[in-house]
Amino acid sequence: MRKILPQLGILCCLPLVSLGAVNIPDPNFRAWLSANYPLAMSGTMLDNLHPTVQATTSLNVFGQNIANLSGVWAFENLQYLVASDNPITNSGVHIPMGTAFVYFSNCLLTGSFTVPDHVQSIHLDNNQLTSIALASGSVLTNLHARNNLLTSITGQWSGLGVSADLAYNQLASLPGFAQNFYPGYLDVSHNQLTTLPEMAWMPGSTLLASHNLITSIGDQEFFYSYTTLDVSYNPLTGGIVELPEGLLSLTITNTQLPCLPWIPFNLQSLI
């Protein structure tokens, strides 16, 4: 017994760590957490059962020089994760289950990126991604991936009034999304498209497709829901067969359009 008691005394002097403690390997992430969650941090461990962690629904680590978000899943009730302007590579991306709004713009992401099915809105602008995959059962409504190296987007995407900014990429076509995919805003300018995206559209939607390789616009059913259409800086040598009756704004600057089609009565802007 005399030999055991001193050992018990040493154990009692050690800092108490919750059974739910999570390791935070990135030193800069640890430093930020220590400054913002001092009562929940113990060395490299974050207590995910601490009230301040449990109460957190939004985490903003913008520009903190963090390379790895491992351990962020300790925030089990997180809805918003802002991690833009950090040197995060693909292996350093961690998104807690249930987090709906995610920001990874201006990071070091490359190659392929899979959007988890629970994410509703994600910002991946200004990276070097070549493809984006949507997980099965995706509830995504907003995708922002401007200024990457995208050549493909795969997976099923469905929803009403969804928004996508895919400008400044290398897309030659867009995939056939689910039949109940109805975008309200789509920017695919500065890509390599040869035809307009063929998909159903929400009434009053906007399609920005300037600076592509589109040679003609045919009379297709999906074309009739636009109110704003920008096809400037495209060849358009094959002309435009017909414009939708509800079109309010049309931009055809710097094209080789041989002649104007019938102009809708309600058109308010022609550039």
Side-chain angles (χ1 to χ4, degrees), residues 3-33:
K3 294 182 180 180
I4 297 176
L5 288 177
Q7 295 175 2
L8 292 176
I10 294 174
L11 289 175
C12 291
C13 294
L14 294 175
L16 294 177
V17 179
S18 166
L19 293 176
V22 175
N23 182 48
I24 309 296
D26 188 282
N28 292 321
F29 192 20
R30 284 201 306 270
W32 187 90
L33 290 170

Side-chain angles (χ1 to χ4, degrees), residues 29-52:
F29 192 20
R30 284 201 306 270
W32 187 90
L33 290 170
S34 296
N36 290 273
Y37 294 86
L39 299 180
M41 285 295 293
S42 178
T44 65
M45 308 299 288
L46 174 66
D47 182 3
N48 72 315
L49 300 181
H50 194 276
T52 58

Side-chain angles (χ1 to χ4, degrees), residues 174-179 181-186 188 193-209 214 216-231 236 239-247:
L174 288 177
F177 294 124
Q179 292 183 354
F181 176 79
Y182 298 93
Y185 178 90
L186 178 61
V188 287
L193 299 176
T194 56
T195 60
L196 287 179
E198 297 188 19
M199 57 186 68
W201 292 84
M202 283 288 291
S205 57
T206 294
L207 173 59
L208 307 179
I214 300 170
S216 63
I217 299 176
D219 180 13
Q220 302 182 52
E221 182 179 356
F222 71 87
F223 190 50
Y224 283 91
S225 295
Y226 305 142
T227 55
T228 300
L229 176 62
D230 184 351
V231 287
L236 290 183
I240 299 175
V241 175
E242 186 176 355
L243 293 171
E245 294 182 4
L247 192 65

Side-chain angles (χ1 to χ4, degrees), residues 111-122:
S112 180
F113 186 96
T114 299
V115 181
D117 59 359
H118 56 82
V119 172
Q120 297 178 29
S121 176
I122 190 165

Side-chain angles (χ1 to χ4, degrees), residues 226 242-250 261-268 270:
Y226 305 142
E242 186 176 355
L243 293 171
E245 294 182 4
L247 192 65
L248 300 178
S249 176
L250 174 64
W262 171 81
I263 300 298
F265 178 77
N266 293 322
L267 191 70
Q268 300 174 3
L270 177 60

Side-chain angles (χ1 to χ4, degrees), residues 113-256:
F113 186 96
T114 299
V115 181
D117 59 359
H118 56 82
V119 172
Q120 297 178 29
S121 176
I122 190 165
H123 290 247
L124 300 168
D125 309 281
N126 303 317
N127 283 287
Q128 298 185 49
L129 296 172
T130 57
S131 64
I132 292 176
L134 305 181
S136 177
S138 175
V139 295
L140 193 67
T141 57
N142 292 283
L143 171 61
H144 299 265
R146 169 182 288 254
N147 194 28
N148 277 274
L149 303 172
L150 293 175
T151 58
S152 68
I153 300 175
T154 60
Q156 292 293 304
W157 192 6
S158 62
L160 296 175
V162 298
S163 173
D165 185 349
L166 304 172
Y168 292 93
N169 279 288
Q170 299 176 17
L171 293 167
S173 63
L174 288 177
F177 294 124
Q179 292 183 354
N180 55 344
F181 176 79
Y182 298 93
Y185 178 90
L186 178 61
D187 187 349
V188 287
S189 57
H190 294 271
N191 275 280
Q192 299 178 17
L193 299 176
T194 56
T195 60
L196 287 179
E198 297 188 19
M199 57 186 68
W201 292 84
M202 283 288 291
S205 57
T206 294
L207 173 59
L208 307 179
S210 67
H211 295 85
N212 277 280
L213 305 172
I214 300 170
T215 56
S216 63
I217 299 176
D219 180 13
Q220 302 182 52
E221 182 179 356
F222 71 87
F223 190 50
Y224 283 91
S225 295
Y226 305 142
T227 55
T228 300
L229 176 62
D230 184 351
V231 287
S232 58
Y233 294 91
N234 279 282
L236 290 183
T237 51
I240 299 175
V241 175
E242 186 176 355
L243 293 171
E245 294 182 4
L247 192 65
L248 300 178
S249 176
L250 174 64
T251 304
I252 51 176
T253 307
N254 287 290
T255 65
Q256 301 175 46

